[in-house]
Amino acid sequence: MTAEPGTGRISWPYLSAQALHYLLFALRAQQFRCRRPMLGDRHRPVFGVAGHSVALTIDDGPHPEWTPRMLDLLDRYRVRATFFLIGDRVAEHPELARRIRDAGHLVGNHSMSHPQPFAALPARRLRTEIVAAQRRIEDAVGITPRLFRAPGGNWSPTVLRTTADLGLVPVDWTVNPSDWRSPGVDRIVRRLSRSRPGHVLLCHDGGGDRSQTVAALEAVLPRLIDRGLRFVVPGADR
C-alpha cells in the first residue's frame, strides 16, 4: 500500500483519491474512443465539446517564460484556448493573467496552490482552494472564472459537489500528451495529432520547462486547422 506523501501514514481519503485517479484513467480512455465524449453535467466533468471542434486547454500558469511564448504561438494561428490558472501563480504574475484575458482567451480556475491528490483534501480545504483562487483571478483580471479543473484531474463526488455549489463547471480532458513529463517533442506531437472532433486537449505552460510543449503545438496546430477543426472553449453547452 502507498503512504500519503510526507506523512508515512496510509489514510482512507488518500487511498480513495488514488483509486479514483486510476479509475479516471480508464474513463478518459473510454471517452477518447467515443464518437462524442460527454459534455458533462452536475455530477460529471466535461470531457468533450460539440460540433466539428476541439478545445485546447493549458494548465498550471501563468509562467513568465512559457505563457508569453504560448500566447504568441496561439496568436499566430488565431487559436483560442482556455488557460486554467493557479492562484498562487496569478499572485506572482497578475500582468500575465491580464495578457491572457486581453488576447481573448478564456481563464479558468485550477485551485490556489495545486495540492495533490486533490480529492483527498477535507471538504473545507477543497472549498478554500477553489474560492481563494477564484478571488485571486477575479482581482487580477476583473472576470469571474466559470470553469474549474481539479489539480491532476483528481475528481470525487465531494470535489464535483463543491464545484457545483460554487457555480463552476468541472472540466476534464480526452487527449493528454503528458507534456508535463517532457517526454520529447515527437511524442507530444503524435498524441496531440490523434485529436478528433469533440476532444478536449490538455497541455501545460507552467510547472517546469515547457519548451517541448511549445514546439509540439507549433507543429500540431496547423495540422488540426488543416483538418477543418475549430478551436472552442469547453463547457459552452452547460
Side-chain angles (χ1 to χ4, degrees):
M1 301 178 78
T2 304
E4 188 174 352
T7 68
R9 300 192 306 270
I10 297 172
S11 68
W12 170 247
Y14 178 76
L15 290 176
S16 177
Q18 290 296 89
L20 285 167
H21 180 69
Y22 289 108
L23 286 172
L24 282 161
F25 273 120
L27 179 57
R28 291 181 189 113
Q30 185 265 337
Q31 290 298 304
F32 178 84
R33 293 190 299 269
C34 284
R35 182 177 176 84
R36 279 294 168 191
M38 291 188 302
L39 300 181
D41 56 33
R42 183 178 175 86
H43 306 289
R44 294 175 296 182
V46 172
F47 287 95
V49 293
H52 195 74
S53 307
V54 294
L56 174 61
T57 63
I58 301 171
D59 288 11
D60 293 357
H63 187 280
E65 180 172 1
W66 306 115
T67 301
R69 290 180 61 176
M70 194 77 72
L71 289 170
D72 290 344
L73 178 63
L74 297 174
D75 181 64
R76 191 183 319 153
Y77 290 105
R78 299 182 180 180
V79 167
R80 189 185 186 204
T82 301
F83 286 76
F84 285 96
L85 305 182
I86 297 173
D88 283 343
R89 302 290 82 77
V90 173
E92 294 173 355
H93 305 288
E95 76 288 351
L96 289 178
R98 288 190 287 271
R99 182 175 168 185
I100 292 169
R101 175 206 63 193
D102 292 345
H105 303 290
L106 194 64
V107 170
N109 183 329
H110 198 37
S111 82
M112 190 65 189
S113 63
H114 205 279
Q116 292 182 280
F118 194 68
L121 299 179
R124 182 175 294 182
R125 172 79 189 282
L126 287 173
R127 187 179 184 92
T128 298
E129 280 283 335
I130 299 172
V131 169
Q134 197 80 342
R135 290 173 178 166
R136 182 67 68 181
I137 295 168
E138 288 174 354
D139 289 345
V141 304
I143 296 172
T144 303
R146 65 179 189 84
L147 305 181
F148 174 72
R149 173 172 282 160
N154 198 207
W155 305 101
S156 70
T158 301
V159 175
L160 291 170
R161 184 166 55 250
T162 303
T163 302
D165 288 347
L166 292 170
L168 293 164
V169 175
V171 178
D172 203 84
W173 60 81
T174 33
V175 179
N176 179 10
S178 296
D179 62 311
W180 63 275
R181 296 180 184 269
S182 297
V185 174
D186 289 345
R187 186 170 181 179
I188 298 171
V189 168
R190 285 196 303 272
R191 291 192 175 184
L192 291 176
S193 295
R194 297 171 62 196
S195 302
R196 302 192 311 272
H199 283 170
V200 177
L201 288 57
L202 170 65
C203 288
H204 297 79
D205 63 339
D209 183 341
R210 298 296 168 234
S211 57
Q212 292 184 7
T213 305
V214 174
L217 283 172
E218 186 148 18
V220 169
L221 291 179
R223 295 183 189 180
L224 299 182
I225 292 168
D226 286 346
R227 292 185 206 164
L229 291 170
R230 295 186 307 113
F231 285 82
V232 299
V233 297
D237 300 299
R238 292 283 298 274

